[in-house]
Amino acid sequence: MPKLDASTHQALARELHDAERSRTPVMQFSRRYPEMTIADSYAISQAWLALKFAEGRRVIGHKIGLTSRAMQVAAQITEPDHGTLLDDMLVADGATLEASRFIVPRLEVELAFILAKPLKGPGVTLFDVLDATAWVTPALELIDGRIELFDRDTKAPRKVFDTIADNAANAAVILGGRPVKPDAIDLRWAGALLYRNGVIEESGLSAAVLNHPGNGIAWLANKLGAFDEGLQAGEIVLAGSFTRPVACAAGDVFHADYGPLGAIGVRFV
């Protein structure tokens, strides 16, 4: 249950909105409001979305985060989190991005599911997800922090309450490579090598995402179903990273090699 009132949710959402524009992160919400709950965090993210909708933005999909066991232990939670993808977050493969657009940009390696059918819980299973998916394609998620990663005074890392309130730290998504039908390969063994300036910084297999990346999609459909919401046909759903985040800076060139699924590239200036 929320512990903060609606006016506080809206005020904190406005702080996030302003932080994104000024490229200046705000103090951790969890430090300022230690009584806040996960419900408060999602309410703040919804209030932030309302500001975006008022500016003409539209939903193109969703993202799932904290899908690996290691990340959940680090965040002291027992389930993933989720955020919303907006139309201005979609970046073309091979794009050049200005690093100064972001605060602390980092890249994660993922698979994206493109839905052909809607999914709504309860009771959505992995098999329902595979049946509803038109294509699975390589994806890079650019995450950013509108809330301080480390507290300015105590240096304590931000908590999951902060990350969820910050739309699960989403900033952009890059799709590329070779799209495949969900039954074309064993998605658990889809892997990638992430190069930064010609050096492999990260590698991994998508089985690290809840044993199968489609399990995250099922979790999200069931989570949203509890609020009478669901995933829509045509939406992009990022299944969760199977590598650690890699920092980005002006001058960096990234190349994500997914083997038989192709590659994605992006450059920062």
Side-chain angles (χ1 to χ4, degrees):
M1 292 293 292
K3 296 292 186 181
L4 310 179
D5 58 34
S7 62
T8 302
H9 295 154
Q10 292 164 3
L12 294 177
R14 172 57 67 178
E15 286 190 30
L16 292 174
H17 194 55
D18 293 342
E20 184 178 40
R21 291 183 169 183
S22 68
R23 279 65 166 175
T24 304
V26 298
M27 187 181 292
Q28 294 170 2
F29 296 168
S30 61
R31 184 184 177 202
R32 291 149 60 188
Y33 299 94
E35 73 277 20
M36 74 182 295
T37 65
I38 296 292
D40 285 306
S41 298
Y42 281 117
I44 294 165
S45 70
Q46 290 299 308
W48 176 82
L49 283 173
L51 295 173
K52 292 290 188 179
F53 295 153
E55 294 181 341
R57 299 275 64 85
R58 62 182 179 84
V59 174
I60 61 167
H62 304 267
K63 67 152 287 185
I64 305 164
L66 300 176
T67 49
S68 73
R69 179 61 181 157
M71 290 298 291
Q72 290 180 13
V73 170
Q76 299 182 327
I77 63 169
T78 57
E79 66 175 19
D81 67 357
H82 63 90
T84 303
L85 303 179
L86 301 174
D87 58 323
D88 62 342
M89 296 174 178
L90 190 59
V91 175
D93 183 17
T96 297
L97 297 176
E98 291 186 13
S100 60
R101 278 181 52 189
F102 309 100
I103 301 171
V104 282
R106 295 175 294 164
L107 280 179
E108 294 183 336
V109 176
E110 314 200 8
L111 291 176
F113 286 60
I114 315 301
L115 299 183
K117 302 176 185 177
L119 285 169
K120 185 177 180 181
V124 173
T125 67
L126 172 61
F127 306 106
D128 296 322
V129 171
L130 296 176
D131 180 63
T133 299
W135 300 97
V136 178
T137 192
L140 292 175
E141 183 186 1
L142 181 65
I143 59 173
D144 198 10
R146 275 74 59 166
I147 298 175
E148 291 176 338
L149 297 180
F150 297 95
D151 181 75
R152 63 189 69 179
D153 298 322
T154 68
K155 308 306 178 185
R158 68 180 179 184
K159 297 182 178 179
V160 68
F161 306 102
D162 303 299
T163 306
I164 292 174
D166 195 12
N167 193 39
N170 178 260
V173 57
I174 304 127
L175 303 182
R178 174 191 162 216
V180 295
K181 293 293 185 181
D183 59 352
I185 62 170
D186 184 349
L187 293 172
R188 297 175 307 135
W189 288 95
L193 306 171
L194 180 63
Y195 293 80
R196 178 175 61 189
N197 304 326
V199 177
I200 297 177
E201 294 285 352
E202 272 297 314
S203 63
L205 292 173
S206 66
V209 179
L210 302 174
N211 194 46
H212 190 294
N215 284 328
I217 315 297
W219 172 84
L220 179 57
N222 290 323
K223 189 76 172 178
L224 294 175
F227 301 95
D228 198 31
E229 300 175 10
L231 307 175
Q232 304 304 315
E235 287 188 336
I236 301 163
V237 188
L238 295 179
S241 177
F242 50 88
T243 66
R244 69 176 177 86
V246 176
C248 313
D252 285 341
V253 177
F254 287 89
H255 174 77
D257 182 354
Y258 284 76
L261 295 188
I264 311 175
V266 65
R267 182 166 67 104
F268 289 84
V269 295

